Amino acid sequence: MSNEYIPFLSEIKDVIKHTDIEYTFRMAYVGDVKPGQFFEVSIPKFGEAPISVSGIGEDYVDLTIRRVGKVTNEIFENQVGQTLFMRGPYGNGFDVDLYKGKELIIIAGGTGVSPVKGVIDYFGEHREETAGMTVIAGFKSPKDILFKDSIKRWETQMDLIVTVDKAEEKGYREGMVTAYIPDLNISDLDHVAAIVVGPPIMMKFTVAELMKRGIKEEQIWISQERKMCCGLGKCGHCKMDDTYICLDGPVFNYTKGKKLFD
């Protein structure tokens, strides 16, 4: 019986650069894991950081990490073949079975694409399991766009809108993700499921626009992945009201999640 408090060593199988401060570390891992779950990645003497799963393979998980502090700075010093400590996976994640047979709408902003990427990848490869699929991914600028290789594949698999807040170059859609919701082609409101992940203010206004289109609260899921902390509900940093994001989430149906915004 494993001890969930004790980390295990995992080998870095690949390092994929997206931007100057965002890399995906492909970590050796064999076991059950869902999109939207997260691992704690740690380095002795530096600490640990909760990182969402952005890809799932037979013998690996992808962890897309932004270089923003002491722990992540040190993680970026590691290369293929070296090892990092991990524990997890934690959280409930996205259950793809909930979205099968539905018209699926996924809207994500910035690094919020990471926790939903596994859902996009799954249904991109199993289009017959949805009644239709639209993805809207928003980034600050062209240089901030993540998963460019995956985006090329998604363009052939689904209705995909990639937008940036502002672009100096031509050839990019501009505007907030909410600007594209009024024009979504929805054929059957009773069989729609929507996933929204990103900064809290983005999720708030995106959900509001979806509801203007007639999508009900119970048809919408969000992730509070920015609130994740120890993964075990012990530190209390993720507690919102009587809910522990690490234990009860980070994925919530909006009927519950709407009560958990700061």
Side-chain angles (χ1 to χ4, degrees):
M1 185 175 181
S2 62
N3 188 329
E4 62 182 353
Y5 290 86
I6 299 176
F8 55 88
L9 272 175
S10 175
E11 181 182 348
I12 301 172
K13 299 171 72 71
D14 197 6
V15 178
I16 304 160
K17 180 179 178 179
H18 303 296
T19 72
D20 289 342
I21 61 169
E22 287 150 326
Y23 291 10
T24 289
F25 286 77
R26 181 159 290 176
M27 307 302 301
Y29 180 77
V30 177
D32 294 333
V33 61
K34 291 180 181 178
Q37 288 190 300
F38 64 98
F39 285 84
E40 297 284 347
V41 181
S42 61
I43 297 178
K45 298 183 181 179
F46 289 90
E48 65 179 5
I51 308 294
S52 294
V53 172
S54 60
I56 302 167
E58 290 185 3
D59 60 352
Y60 69 84
V61 290
D62 285 344
L63 305 177
T64 300
I65 301 174
R66 172 178 282 180
R67 189 173 193 160
V68 292
K70 182 174 71 171
V71 179
T72 52
N73 284 344
E74 190 63 22
I75 290 172
F76 271 53
E77 296 301 314
N78 290 267
Q79 305 297 325
V80 174
Q82 294 181 276
T83 56
L84 297 171
F85 282 103
M86 293 169 46
R87 57 182 177 89
Y90 296 115
N92 57 349
F94 291 100
D95 184 352
V96 296
D97 288 339
L98 293 173
Y99 314 119
K100 291 180 179 179
K102 305 290 181 65
E103 289 187 54
L104 182 59
I105 301 168
I106 299 176
I107 305 175
T111 55
V113 178
S114 295
V116 297
K117 181 175 176 291
V119 180
I120 299 172
D121 285 338
Y122 177 84
F123 285 110
E125 297 296 329
H126 301 84
R127 283 299 308 274
E128 74 282 358
E129 295 185 16
T130 71
M133 185 175 181
T134 301
V135 173
I136 306 175
F139 301 94
K140 287 184 178 180
S141 70
K143 68 180 179 62
D144 296 305
I145 295 175
L146 304 177
F147 312 117
K148 291 180 180 178
D149 288 343
S150 295
I151 285 172
K152 290 178 183 177
R153 184 178 70 253
W154 296 343
E155 287 174 339
T156 69
Q157 296 173 326
M158 63 200 68
D159 293 327
L160 177 67
I161 297 170
V162 176
T163 181
V164 296
D165 294 351
K166 189 175 182 180
E168 300 296 333
E169 311 96 311
K170 293 183 179 179
Y172 291 93
R173 288 188 175 98
E174 292 185 89
M176 301 297 180
V177 293
T178 49
Y180 297 89
I181 295 174
D183 295 327
L184 287 177
N185 182 20
I186 302 172
S187 61
D188 186 354
L189 280 171
D190 291 330
H191 292 88
V192 171
I195 297 172
V196 180
V197 185
I201 194 70
M202 168 264 178
M203 292 196 291
K204 177 181 177 180
F205 285 103
T206 298
V207 168
E209 288 298 319
L210 289 171
M211 292 177 65
K212 286 180 184 177
R213 291 296 313 272
I215 298 173
K216 300 180 179 65
E217 290 183 354
E218 58 267 28
Q219 295 172 287
I220 302 171
W221 283 260
I222 65 171
S223 174
Q224 290 282 11
E225 53 117 16
R226 289 180 175 230
K227 299 293 290 185
M228 302 177 312
C229 202
C230 74
L232 296 163
K234 300 300 182 184
C235 72
H237 289 179
C238 75
K239 189 176 182 183
M240 302 176 77
D241 297 326
D242 61 348
T243 300
Y244 288 88
I245 304 301
C246 288
L247 300 180
D248 304 313
V251 176
F252 295 93
N253 184 268
Y254 192 68
T255 55
K256 170 75 172 178
K258 67 179 180 180
K259 305 171 185 177
L260 301 176
F261 285 103
D262 290 332

